[in-house]
Amino acid sequence: PRELLDQFDLAERAMEAMGLVVWPEVEFEADDALGTAAERFATDERVERILICTPDKDMAQCVRGSRVVLRDRRRDLTIDRAGVVERWGVEPESIPDWLALVGDSADGFPGLPGWGKRSASLVLAKFGHLEGIPESAGDWHVDVRNAPTLNATLRGQWDDAKLYRRLATLRLDTPLPQTDPEELRWQ
């Protein structure tokens, strides 16, 4: 809405006045910029830890051990790799696949019918990604009810699942101007 759009410039100027680095994204989503920065600076030895402050599930794919973590301030939780596995039942790298199966209402895609959090977690914990899931449910060897039905849904809606995964996968090529973590320091 125009009323919201009109506030962006003022909000950006206020944040810059507070000494924060601002990335006014037009072509990319904010999550993509955050993911790009996390990826860019995760291995820089001058960076002690990257704390991504959000409860957003799709940002869990950025988690790397205890070096890149999520901070959910509402629940007072810091989520590292073990926390991602505990909370969603899969490794951070499998989060886009998990979201493809169960859906993400915040990002506007429904997931696949019948696939719930538990079934997606159990299957992806074993196979990692959609392509790793055997074509025959008899080869899954995972304690999931209705495996043949879930498999038929996955195979019948394969293109949708891949589309949903693409929508849930962060782009890590956002053109951020900062190449040195010192450029992000609060002033």
Side-chain angles (χ1 to χ4, degrees):
R2 186 81 217 160
E3 300 81 30
L4 179 62
L5 192 58
D6 289 343
Q7 297 175 41
F8 283 13
D9 182 57
L10 179 60
E12 290 169 3
R13 286 188 293 140
M15 287 185 284
E16 286 172 343
M18 291 188 304
L20 300 171
V21 174
V22 176
W23 298 319
E25 293 297 331
V26 175
E27 294 181 35
F28 294 86
E29 291 188 26
D31 290 356
D32 296 328
L34 292 170
T36 297
E39 184 74 16
R40 181 176 293 175
F41 299 115
T43 58
D44 192 307
E45 56 192 38
R46 296 171 292 172
V47 176
E48 182 179 326
R49 187 180 212 191
I50 296 174
L51 192 68
I52 302 173
C53 297
T54 181
D56 197 347
K57 294 182 288 285
D58 60 355
M59 293 303 292
Q61 65 194 276
C62 295
V63 171
R64 301 289 178 264
S66 59
R67 185 158 174 75
V68 179
V69 299
L70 299 183
R71 178 71 183 145
D72 183 342
R73 293 176 300 166
R74 287 186 289 188
R75 294 185 181 99
D76 194 27
L77 293 172
T78 299
I79 304 168
D80 59 6
R81 188 207 66 79
V84 170
V85 172
E86 180 181 327
R87 189 165 185 179
W88 292 288
V90 297
E91 295 288 336
E93 297 80 15
S94 296
I95 289 292
D97 300 83
W98 186 86
L99 289 167
L101 294 174
V102 303
D104 188 354
S105 59
D107 284 332
F109 56 89
L112 301 185
W115 281 89
K117 295 175 182 178
R118 182 179 181 279
S119 56
S121 295
L122 289 171
V123 172
L124 290 171
K126 183 166 185 176
F127 301 111
H129 299 286
L130 298 174
E131 292 80 5
I133 301 171
E135 289 197 30
S136 170
D139 294 331
W140 289 8
H141 305 293
V142 177
D143 184 25
V144 176
R145 284 185 317 163
N146 301 323
T149 302
L150 293 175
N151 190 48
T153 299
L154 176 60
R155 300 303 158 201
Q157 297 184 30
W158 183 254
D159 289 340
D160 289 341
K162 290 192 319 185
L163 170 64
Y164 301 153
R165 180 180 60 191
R166 187 168 53 86
L167 293 172
T169 300
L170 297 177
R171 290 195 52 186
L172 303 179
D173 61 348
T174 303
L176 301 179
Q178 294 82 10
T179 57
D180 186 305
E182 286 301 318
E183 296 174 274
L184 298 174
R185 187 176 295 279
W186 178 57
Q187 302 293 324

